[in-house]
Amino acid sequence: MNSFTFTFLGSGTSTGIPMLACDCETCTSSDPRDQRYRSSALISWAGKNIVIDTTPEFRLQMLRAKARTLDAVLLTHSHADHINGLDDLRQFTFGSSRRIPVYGNPETMDWIRQHYNYIWEPRQVGGGLPKITLNPVHSPFECAGLTVTPIPVLHGIITIYGYRIGNLAYISDVSAIPEDSMEQLRGIDILVLDAVRYRRHATHFHLEAAIQAAQAIGPKQTVFTHLNHDFRHRRLVDELPDGMTAAYDGMQLEGRLD
């Protein structure tokens, strides 16, 4: 099987859309494509499921996607909007001794071990715990039968990961892409890329910077994600150059492995 399905579980920035205490036209929009959970994705291939990031809405996202199994997790970094649903991984191993492998850079794995220390500490019997194994990665690795390439990028002053699988790359939080990482992105067909708002941002690509980065990489299709409430979906799609569009929750792409 040479193809996989890539589903946007969420396409919003750290506040989610609608944002609390906001009455702007996006946050009050009736267009379901303007209602955005925090950014994450589901990769489905040969009966297996891989999640990129476990957001605060992880439970709701997986229910909406009707995903009943989970084989692995890829984490981009340890910020709250990308990791705070981690505890809900436990529901995919209830009644089983199986452990879900979690992958990311060493700093992210260390952060999880420190801040979710209850997972590994001795405790009383009762209650559920996520059954996970932490796997720091630096180079391409095998994950649920797929080859995954971590792509280091800058998110402000910290280095985090995007990921490339086959002809698709996913980079959800980025303010600069090092040249070595640009080389790893050459030849992709589908680029999913951070474009947080219209105005410049200290730790994310704003829309103009995201468009310029996509043009430099040269994929056949670019899909922008991690969108804040600046953007009405329909309006943004109409503004974008050919070959570029905006993600929405539930949107699906087809990637290829060859």
Side-chain angles (χ1 to χ4, degrees):
M1 185 175 183
N2 292 323
S3 65
F4 60 91
T5 300
F6 182 97
T7 303
F8 287 89
L9 296 177
S11 57
T13 190
S14 61
T15 60
I17 310 297
M19 191 171 76
L20 289 172
C22 183
D23 297 318
C24 76
E25 63 172 350
T26 304
C27 290
T28 57
S29 168
S30 61
D31 186 342
R33 296 169 300 179
D34 289 330
Q35 297 168 13
R36 306 175 183 126
Y37 286 157
R38 267 61 76 96
S39 287
S40 61
L42 174 67
I43 297 161
S44 302
W45 175 80
K48 297 181 180 180
N49 289 322
I50 302 169
V51 161
I52 304 179
D53 287 338
T54 56
T55 77
E57 294 96 356
F58 175 69
R59 171 181 163 273
L60 298 174
Q61 290 170 328
M62 296 298 273
L63 285 169
R64 185 170 62 182
K66 295 181 170 58
R68 301 184 64 85
T69 61
L70 184 61
D71 297 278
V73 176
L74 311 177
L75 294 178
T76 59
H77 62 302
S78 61
H79 287 171
D81 54 320
H82 294 265
I83 209 167
N84 273 9
L86 188 77
D87 189 77
D88 282 326
L89 292 176
R90 62 196 172 105
Q91 293 150 36
F92 288 101
T93 58
F94 277 166
S96 169
S97 61
R98 182 179 71 91
R99 292 187 172 272
I100 297 173
V102 177
Y103 301 90
N105 65 25
E107 293 78 14
T108 300
M109 299 297 97
D110 288 345
W111 192 95
I112 292 172
R113 188 172 292 278
Q114 293 174 30
H115 291 80
Y116 286 85
N117 58 348
Y118 67 88
I119 295 174
W120 294 277
E121 289 183 347
R123 63 193 300 273
Q124 68 182 28
V125 176
L129 291 173
K131 297 186 182 78
I132 61 176
T133 58
L134 301 180
N135 301 277
V137 290
H138 304 84
S139 58
F141 59 96
E142 292 300 308
C143 175
L146 299 178
T147 298
V148 179
T149 301
I151 308 292
V153 298
L154 290 177
H155 181 30
I157 62 172
I158 66 171
T159 298
I160 71 164
Y161 278 171
Y163 292 99
R164 177 173 179 169
I165 299 174
N167 70 340
L168 182 149
Y170 177 85
I171 302 174
S172 68
D173 295 54
V174 58
S175 54
I177 303 176
E179 187 54 40
D180 287 349
S181 295
M182 289 289 283
E183 289 302 316
Q184 291 180 295
L185 295 169
R186 304 292 182 200
I188 61 171
D189 292 327
I190 304 171
L191 174 64
V192 180
L193 188 62
D194 176 19
V196 70
R197 67 187 189 190
Y198 285 113
R199 295 175 292 115
R200 290 186 179 276
H201 193 286
T203 60
H204 291 265
F205 279 159
H206 67 304
L207 182 60
E208 182 180 354
I211 290 172
Q212 290 173 353
Q215 290 170 335
I217 293 166
K220 294 178 181 177
Q221 180 182 15
T222 300
V223 185
F224 295 119
T225 193
H226 215 291
L227 307 170
N228 86 344
H229 64 167
D230 279 7
F231 301 117
R232 291 292 302 274
H233 179 85
R234 185 184 301 275
R235 187 182 303 155
L236 175 58
V237 168
D238 289 344
E239 293 173 353
L240 292 172
D242 291 344
M244 299 184 186
T245 192
Y248 57 87
D249 291 17
M251 179 182 185
Q252 292 189 330
L253 307 172
E254 183 175 327
R256 295 195 61 81
L257 301 174
D258 53 4

